[in-house]
Amino acid sequence: MPRAERPLDPDAGPLTRFAADLRRLREAAGRPSCRALAKRAHYSSTTLSDAAGGRTFPSLSVTLAYVEACQGDCRAWEARWHAVAAEMAAGAPADEPGEAGPQGAPYAGLSAFQPEDADRFFGRERLTGEVLAKVRDRRFLAVFGPSGSGKSSLLRAGLVARVRAAGWPVLLFTPGPHPVEECAIRLAAATGEAPGALMTELRDDPATLHLRIRQAVIDRPPDNDTLIVADQFEEVFTLCRDRDERDAFLSLLIAATTATTSRTRVVLGVRADFYGHCVQEPLLVEAMRDAQLAVGPMSSQELREAITRPALLAGCTVTGPLLAAVVADTTGQPGALPLVSHAMVETWRRRSGSRLTLDGYLAAGGIQHALAQTAEAAHRALSPGQQDLARSLFLRLTALGVGTEDTRRRITRDELDPGPDTAFVLESLARQRLVTLDEECVEITHEAVIRCWPRLRGRLTEDRDRLLLHRQLTEATAGWEAQDRDPHALYRGARLAAALDLAAADAGRLTSGERCFLDASREAQDAETAAVRRRTVRLRQLVTLLTVLVVIAATAGVLAVGSRSSAIRQRNVAIARKAAADAAEVRQENPALAAQLNLAAYRLAGTDDVRAQLMSTFATPYTSRLTGHTSDVVSISFAPQNTVLATASWDRTVRLWDVEDAHHPVQLAVLYQPWRMLAVAFGQRGRVLAAVSERSVRLWDVANRRAPIELSTLPDQPAAPTWVAFRPAGDVMATGHTDGTTRLWDVRDSRQPSLLATLPGHSDAVTSVAFSPDGHTLATTGDTTAGLWDATDPARPRHLDVLRGHTDTVTSVAFSPDGRTVATGSWDHTARIWDIGSGPRTRPAAVLLGHPTIVWSVAFAPDSRTLVSVGGSTLLWDVTDPAHPKRVSAIPGGAYQAAFSPDSRVLADSDRLLDLRDLSLGTHDDVVTSVAFAPGGHLLASASWDGTARLWQVTGGRAL
């Protein structure tokens, strides 16, 4: 008769609960005998009995064999085993293998190897020799590699340790938010000078670094140069917000290495996903042309040396099964080195005597789970209030990537609220090597914590917009403090409203300094509002006074004779001009009151200048304001044959409006998307709406305006979308993407759009897409070119030509209504005209010069005879003869987009309606991003970064 199992106390701990669950699994399988279990599992019955006995924690292999014999879910039980192992490790006393901290371990864990660790840095000897040879051969070198590939360890424990042993002086630092300051401090430490004066010299003259280093090494042998190693160089893009300081830092490094008498050699350690940022810097492009080295994954042999040789130094051995498992888990994986090192630290803590075993490695969670287990154990060891502090801390220590992975962010302790809980959390996380502390700064030990801890990954993903908003608030607070709390640096308007919403939703996330900044911003805005209210009261009193003066003036006019008439007339003119000037001041805050003042002034004295003020007041009748969006409105589109307007915003929504009564627009529907919106466009005569977000393109049936139906989402593509356009017939849709391709889609059945063709041709993201009026030709822009395609058969598009000539990114493209001419705008401050109507090849017709900044937009008038180009100023061109365009007019002022009314008589750019006059629209509180005319041209819509859209009445071809 088999012996009965001893009873288990389910509240005794994680090990007992685990054993009880194994017993329940056996009960659910029909309670097979131990002998039957042993036959199925290929383990002895004693081993299987001990696994469910609750005295010892079974190995992972024994657990999975037990579960498989009982027909359980092996994948779920594997995750359960790792969770129990982590919970037991968190609760283990300090003198057991689960003790916190890798003290005494021969591995570096998440930290990079430092120069003083060179004696235990193995596996990279060959690559270290390559780097050293390149440094001796040239004065500038950029070392690229993915996060976690071991760049920092290679540069610090490999290169720096070797050149210091050879007697070379070394300046080793990370750039941080102020790279010139960091360079000055390191140079001052080497030369003994004051860093303040040195930093001023470095900012003023790029040659200073070269001269100071020559001075410092003048007594050294000619072959002993100074080596500057700027590790984590990507911080000049992620942390340094001052473009001038970034340029100054790059100029210092390049000047020091290119001088004919240079005694400086520079090595940059850069994360691979920031290669694109580097090649956008002209100085770096030239310096890196033949001076690059890539750090890839370790080979299997290098991994074996990195694992076994540090253990031998510590008097330990790595068992064969453990070595084979780690090499198998890691070989060929870029970015896995910190995970391997951390897993080996945890395995060393669970060693058996002097042996590092596979069971210890599995108990630590392996490279897949060891870091997450450590982080979760550290998190659970904190109280609920301390866990909230830790959450806020990790969010502050992460720099959110835009087009790149998230990176760590170094902060000063001043950014954190001091207190015992803050100090305890920092020390606890530092003991687990999750964060690194020094006297002034705090940072995450390695980006692997961001990538591999699911809890932190989820927090960074769940509300990214709020995190970006909070990061902006943090930077604004720091700037306000740096400027001695200058009132002009405070938030106002939409920014303040969004920040107050953030504070109300999660007040615990803000520091006392940030709350003080918001309180000061709110008080300043309240004071300004009160001042405007007082000014309005005074102006109303002035209206009353003016009315009385009009009566007095009329009476005086009847009674006055002779010379008194002239004096009274002059007095009235002066009063009217004063009233007109006051109206101009109040027009932005109170248009109705400004109109009353101008009317009263005109009735008092109808001079030319007073009449001009009156006409300006009524020149652009502001119809209504469309509110509801909570972030920047970036795109608008009118349906072609009805009165529906679509607005798209970064608040992840598209809103539909009925603007038939422009004075009382009605919101019809709100379409929610999971990502920030970029563009909208109507197709199929207004029955279908395409909405482009940062990750997808969705099609909506808007035939029922109040209840749109989502028809489909375009299949996932290798790259995010950037633009959308419909062919005039509405049967084909084109989308631009960040990988430089354009895709054509058959949308005749919008519920099942199908990919017709993928058009390559650009080396960078597509910036705009446009169909010709007849729908037979497609134009795309990206990098420094524009491409033309024959889209008559969209399933087999034929490449026609590449328009070359611009020297920087092409931003926009437009076809003339007659289809014979194409215009393009570019970052190179020019627009170009191309003749596509004569002969098989496109011919460059003309280059349009005169813009002071980037040309953001080009548009043809419906009559094909006029072209507008927008960039810093709005320029009008007569293109009747495309080969000899004539500049007709230049309107100063910044703008981003322009559009003509259907009758070609009215032009709208980002802040004006123009009909042979300059009539300002300026009632938006921020930059206007998009303008569009309604069908018929009687109504204009504008969108802005202030979170609103506005409607303007355009009557009879004149902005009146």
Side-chain angles (χ1 to χ4, degrees), residues 251-433:
S251 299
L252 287 173
L253 299 182
I254 302 304
T257 56
T258 55
T260 55
T261 56
S262 173
R263 295 292 302 276
T264 306
R265 299 177 189 269
V266 172
V267 177
L268 308 181
V270 194
R271 237 175 59 182
D273 52 334
F274 282 86
Y275 186 86
H277 291 70
C278 292
V279 297
Q280 292 179 13
E281 300 291 341
L283 291 175
L284 280 180
V285 169
E286 187 61 31
M288 296 190 312
R289 190 173 304 279
D290 298 314
Q292 303 178 31
L293 186 141
V295 179
M298 278 186 170
S299 67
S300 299
Q301 181 58 36
E302 289 174 331
L303 277 171
R304 291 188 181 94
E305 293 185 3
I307 294 168
T308 58
R309 294 181 65 180
L312 289 175
L313 286 178
C316 293
T317 59
V318 178
T319 62
L322 169 60
L323 182 60
V326 176
V327 172
D329 289 345
T330 312
T331 299
Q333 292 192 28
L337 292 183
L339 303 180
V340 173
S341 188
H342 179 76
M344 293 307 299
V345 168
E346 295 299 314
T347 303
W348 183 85
R349 292 167 56 193
R350 294 166 174 81
R351 65 193 180 278
S352 176
S354 62
R355 297 168 64 248
L356 277 65
T357 64
L358 178 60
D359 285 342
Y361 174 73
L362 295 176
I367 67 168
Q368 299 296 328
H369 304 286
L371 178 54
Q373 285 188 16
T374 299
E376 281 297 316
H379 182 266
R380 283 195 297 270
L382 302 175
S383 67
Q386 292 167 345
Q387 289 178 355
D388 290 339
L389 278 176
R391 180 195 69 165
S392 177
L393 174 66
F394 276 112
L395 295 181
R396 289 179 181 276
L397 291 174
T398 304
L400 302 178
V402 180
T404 60
E405 290 186 358
D406 297 339
T407 60
R408 53 183 169 172
R409 170 178 176 259
R410 189 184 303 112
I411 65 173
T412 62
R413 291 179 183 254
D414 294 339
E415 191 173 315
L416 304 174
D417 284 335
D421 279 347
T422 300
F424 180 82
V425 168
L426 289 174
E427 292 300 327
S428 298
L429 298 177
R431 282 197 301 272
Q432 297 293 348
R433 295 289 180 93

Side-chain angles (χ1 to χ4, degrees), residues 849-865:
L849 305 174
H851 284 285
T853 63
I854 298 167
V855 178
W856 292 107
S857 175
V858 290
F860 282 94
D863 59 9
S864 297
R865 293 182 298 182

Side-chain angles (χ1 to χ4, degrees), residues 28 81 92 139 172 221 268 294 340 433 460 572 621 722 804 916 937 957:
W81 186 92
R139 296 196 171 274
L172 171 63
L268 308 181
V340 173
R433 295 289 180 93
L460 291 171
N572 291 346
T722 58
R804 305 181 188 276
L916 306 181

Side-chain angles (χ1 to χ4, degrees), residues 388-389 391-397 409 411-419 422 470-478 480-481 485 499 502-503 506-520:
D388 290 339
L389 278 176
R391 180 195 69 165
S392 177
L393 174 66
F394 276 112
L395 295 181
R396 289 179 181 276
L397 291 174
R409 170 178 176 259
I411 65 173
T412 62
R413 291 179 183 254
D414 294 339
E415 191 173 315
L416 304 174
D417 284 335
T422 300
H470 184 210
R471 189 57 39 77
Q472 293 168 1
L473 173 62
T474 301
E475 293 172 357
T477 302
W480 179 59
E481 295 284 359
R485 302 198 169 191
L502 173 68
D506 192 357
R509 182 184 298 184
L510 273 59
T511 64
S512 58
E514 291 164 353
R515 288 192 292 271
C516 181
F517 174 80
L518 286 182
D519 290 341

Side-chain angles (χ1 to χ4, degrees), residues 96 123 223 231 247 262 264 289 306 310 341 367 494 497 629 739 758 767 786 792 807 905 913 918 940:
E96 294 186 9
D223 59 344
D231 192 17
D247 292 343
S262 173
T264 306
R289 190 173 304 279
S341 188
I367 67 168
H629 287 295
D739 61 357
T758 299
T767 55
T792 305
T807 60
R905 297 180 61 187
L913 283 175
D918 180 4
L940 173 73

Side-chain angles (χ1 to χ4, degrees), residues 422-485:
T422 300
F424 180 82
V425 168
L426 289 174
E427 292 300 327
S428 298
L429 298 177
R431 282 197 301 272
Q432 297 293 348
R433 295 289 180 93
L434 298 173
V435 301
T436 302
L437 308 177
D438 58 27
E439 292 184 0
E440 297 182 355
C441 298
V442 183
E443 66 177 331
I444 293 177
T445 303
H446 198 278
E447 275 94 355
V449 177
I450 303 172
R451 294 198 314 267
C452 300
W453 187 13
R455 183 186 297 273
L456 177 57
R457 195 72 244 146
R459 287 170 178 167
L460 291 171
T461 304
E462 64 186 9
D463 198 356
R464 205 165 184 83
D465 287 342
R466 283 188 176 274
L467 292 177
L468 288 170
L469 181 62
H470 184 210
R471 189 57 39 77
Q472 293 168 1
L473 173 62
T474 301
E475 293 172 357
T477 302
W480 179 59
E481 295 284 359
Q483 297 173 32
D484 294 329
R485 302 198 169 191

Side-chain angles (χ1 to χ4, degrees), residues 184-202 212:
I185 291 174
R186 303 293 174 168
L187 184 59
T191 60
E193 299 187 37
L198 195 54
M199 184 173 69
T200 302
E201 290 185 32
L202 291 175
R212 292 293 187 183

